[in-house]
Amino acid sequence: MHLRSPLPEDGVAVNRLVERCSPLDPNSLYCNLLQCSHFSRTSIAAILNGELVGFISGYCLPEKANTLFIWQVAVDESARGIGLAGKMIASLLERESCKAVDFIETTITEENQASWCLFEGVARRLNAKLKRSILFDKTAHLNNEHASEVLVKIGPLSCSQLTHK
């Protein structure tokens, strides 16, 4: 397994991977191209035998540069069960581009048990607090067309936590 920053040439493969990874919301190909170019320093691609089998899109929040927001985590069915998503997050946190990260944020719907297990595990491994609050409410923000998105905030992270992942 090779973990690396995504390249614009990965955009189509990322788009197809996300489409295969229900319950993730699919993005436009253009959005995935931006993730693989503009956000490549805070996103990660997992390559196995020349194929993209994992992808995490993320970015540091403009108003909180010490917070890495993880937008989507996609792992192909062929690469599940080996802890790949956790390894990708750990690898992201080790990058120079994430040196100032003290917090991880993401959003998860209540029913997405795979994501809850992943991020609860990340918080445990980092010995960091995990806090929940509603970010986008089903009724107030999503016109009852999508489940509420729960904001998950993990941190603060310390240097010693990151070096002992």
Side-chain angles (χ1 to χ4, degrees):
M1 189 75 62
H2 177 61
L3 302 179
R4 62 164 171 76
S5 294
L7 306 169
E9 293 79 11
D10 295 321
V12 170
V14 167
N15 191 263
R16 291 180 181 152
L17 174 64
V18 170
E19 287 176 351
R20 293 192 308 271
C21 291
S22 179
L24 292 180
D25 293 326
N27 299 307
S28 70
L29 175 56
Y30 185 74
C31 175
N32 294 131
L33 287 168
L34 292 175
Q35 290 170 323
C36 291
S37 56
H38 291 188
F39 302 109
S40 65
R41 291 172 18 108
T42 50
S43 297
I44 191 163
I47 311 297
L48 180 63
N49 299 324
E51 299 294 322
L52 180 82
V53 296
F55 181 74
I56 293 178
S57 56
Y59 56 91
C60 288
L61 295 175
E63 67 281 356
K64 296 187 277 184
N66 69 336
T67 301
L68 175 65
F69 185 86
I70 295 181
W71 183 348
Q72 284 185 315
V73 178
V75 176
D76 188 74
E77 190 174 330
S78 67
R80 292 182 188 157
I82 59 170
L84 179 57
K87 291 173 187 170
M88 289 191 294
I89 291 172
S91 183
L92 272 174
L93 292 174
E94 292 171 355
R95 287 186 183 171
E96 185 66 28
S97 58
C98 292
K99 185 177 181 179
V101 168
D102 295 317
F103 295 92
I104 298 170
E105 289 185 358
T106 193
T107 61
I108 308 173
T109 58
E110 286 293 346
E111 64 273 5
N112 188 339
Q113 289 307 304
S115 287
W116 284 110
C117 288
L118 169 63
F119 286 97
E120 287 167 352
V122 166
R124 266 192 315 278
R125 282 190 301 280
L126 294 174
N127 195 29
K129 293 179 183 177
L130 184 149
K131 296 179 184 176
R132 304 173 181 215
S133 61
I134 298 293
L135 180 63
F136 298 119
D137 178 74
K138 176 181 181 175
T139 304
H141 303 109
L142 299 165
N143 198 35
N144 292 314
E145 295 174 19
H146 189 284
S148 293
E149 291 281 352
V150 178
L151 177 66
V152 174
K153 185 171 187 166
I154 299 171
L157 310 178
S158 71
C159 293
S160 62
Q161 288 168 314
L162 298 180
T163 58
H164 293 96
K165 293 191 252 342

